[in-house]
Amino acid sequence: MTFLLDDAVSDFRFGVEKHYSPTRRDIFNPLNGTLFSISGTEVEIIYVTKNALVKDIQRVIKQLLITKIENAGGAVLHASAFSLDGRAICYVGEKGQGKTTCLLESLKANGAKFITNDRLPIIPISGKFHVLGWFEELRLVQPSGGKKKKLRVLELCEPLRIETRPVPPKLIVLPDCLGKVGNENNAREVIEGQLLTPVDPQRPKWLGYSKSLDFDRDALLDQLPTRRLQWQFQERDELLGKIKEVVDSV
């Protein structure tokens, strides 16, 4: 029996894991009483409350999806993204640079469709990289500060304005509202720093990682143009115009 010190999950920092065989183990969360019984490729969830069940099912599904993506030669990027005319524009950068703000402004454009706000799965299809949608709540910074406001995707967009199919990426944009990006010469360094494969600090570790981590980052970054987008919160009214200029430059 081993103790799991998983700081990635706020309510799962003191889990207990017991191995019965190479393919069977139990994981117990003492804070909400959930027991995960893992046998081969099957995961049984024994729960105490419905709220715990919903949260833990989501965790398992997310991990299984990411593992499948990675095993197919894909990866996950810390980014927000929208599609326009069947191509994806991806905002990549550290926390606080304005990925969510840029996404919200971009969705005001005619024909823009929501893809993701924080996690961007990338997967090769027929030899070319495509990006996939990822549904999670948006957490919006409030002008007065304090706790972020949570917003569901369907509160933001009508279903027809949500991208439901894989789309090829057109452009990577580096939002820069804090003056940290520098110039486009270090774009690759910024983007590589936001790759969440194989290490995602917010990803639960107790189900394990995928066995194959052969994502070809050079194949992705060599074919995609990047642009730096300088902006300021006090000039948000001008942001959509700046975004259109950047997108039209490619």
Side-chain angles (χ1 to χ4, degrees), residues 11 29 31-34 36 45-59 152:
D11 64 346
N29 183 343
L31 298 184
N32 66 7
T34 299
F36 300 87
I45 302 175
I46 302 169
Y47 64 97
V48 176
T49 67
K50 289 184 178 180
N51 286 339
L53 173 65
V54 171
K55 181 181 291 187
D56 290 324
I57 283 180
Q58 289 176 339
R59 288 173 178 165
R152 294 180 180 273

Side-chain angles (χ1 to χ4, degrees), residues 82 84 89 91 97-98 101-103 105-106 108-109 171-178 184 226-250:
F82 72 100
L84 191 65
I89 291 85
Y91 296 112
Q97 292 287 11
T101 302
C102 288
L103 172 65
E105 290 298 316
S106 300
K108 296 177 182 178
L171 171 68
I172 290 180
V173 179
L174 308 178
D176 184 12
C177 72
L178 302 176
E184 292 173 13
T226 61
R227 295 290 186 273
R228 179 188 178 202
L229 175 62
Q230 287 185 285
W231 71 286
Q232 299 292 330
F233 278 103
Q234 58 268 31
E235 300 172 352
R236 182 167 175 171
D237 291 343
E238 303 173 9
L239 182 55
L240 181 57
K242 291 184 177 182
I243 291 171
K244 289 180 177 179
E245 289 180 8
V246 169
V247 173
D248 291 342
S249 70
V250 177

Side-chain angles (χ1 to χ4, degrees), residues 5-238:
L5 300 178
D6 194 346
D7 289 332
V9 185
S10 59
D11 64 346
F12 207 113
R13 289 183 177 155
F14 305 100
V16 180
E17 183 177 37
K18 184 174 182 179
H19 285 262
Y20 299 96
S21 73
T23 60
R24 183 171 178 266
R25 59 194 170 118
D26 287 343
I27 297 173
F28 178 66
N29 183 343
L31 298 184
N32 66 7
T34 299
L35 175 68
F36 300 87
S37 182
I38 303 170
S39 179
T41 59
E42 295 183 359
V43 180
E44 181 181 5
I45 302 175
I46 302 169
Y47 64 97
V48 176
T49 67
K50 289 184 178 180
N51 286 339
L53 173 65
V54 171
K55 181 181 291 187
D56 290 324
I57 283 180
Q58 289 176 339
R59 288 173 178 165
V60 170
I61 291 174
K62 286 178 182 179
Q63 275 209 272
L64 294 178
L65 285 173
I66 292 174
T67 299
K68 185 175 180 65
I69 289 168
E70 290 178 343
N71 281 336
V76 178
L77 185 64
H78 181 210
S80 65
F82 72 100
S83 69
L84 191 65
D85 298 326
R87 301 287 298 279
I89 291 85
C90 313
Y91 296 112
V92 181
E94 297 178 0
K95 181 179 179 180
Q97 292 287 11
K99 296 186 298 297
T100 298
T101 302
C102 288
L103 172 65
L104 294 176
E105 290 298 316
S106 300
L107 292 174
K108 296 177 182 178
N110 290 332
K113 291 185 177 182
F114 176 91
I115 295 179
T116 186
N117 176 56
D118 193 60
R119 296 291 190 270
L120 180 65
I122 305 168
I123 192 167
I125 299 177
S126 300
K128 295 183 179 180
F129 284 109
H130 289 64
V131 301
L132 308 174
W134 190 260
F135 255 52
E136 283 190 307
E137 289 180 328
L138 285 78
R139 290 173 171 79
L140 308 181
V141 175
Q142 301 303 297
S144 58
K147 192 174 182 180
K148 292 183 178 181
K149 177 184 177 182
K150 293 183 180 180
L151 184 69
R152 294 180 180 273
V153 175
L154 288 175
E155 295 178 277
L156 176 67
C157 299
E158 296 179 357
L160 291 178
R161 297 201 63 193
I162 298 173
E163 190 63 77
T164 58
R165 58 191 176 88
V167 293
K170 173 182 179 178
L171 171 68
I172 290 180
V173 179
L174 308 178
D176 184 12
C177 72
L178 302 176
K180 290 184 177 181
V181 175
N183 55 56
E184 292 173 13
N185 293 331
N186 66 343
R188 181 181 290 264
E189 180 181 342
V190 172
I191 297 167
E192 289 183 346
Q194 300 306 309
L195 272 172
L196 301 178
T197 297
V199 179
D200 180 351
Q202 295 185 22
R203 177 176 170 184
K205 306 174 184 66
W206 33 265
L207 277 183
Y209 292 108
S210 57
K211 296 180 180 179
S212 174
L213 297 173
D214 55 356
F215 177 67
D216 189 349
R217 63 184 65 187
D218 290 333
L220 172 70
L221 300 180
D222 288 346
Q223 70 179 5
L224 272 182
T226 61
R227 295 290 186 273
R228 179 188 178 202
L229 175 62
Q230 287 185 285
W231 71 286
Q232 299 292 330
F233 278 103
Q234 58 268 31
E235 300 172 352
R236 182 167 175 171
D237 291 343
E238 303 173 9

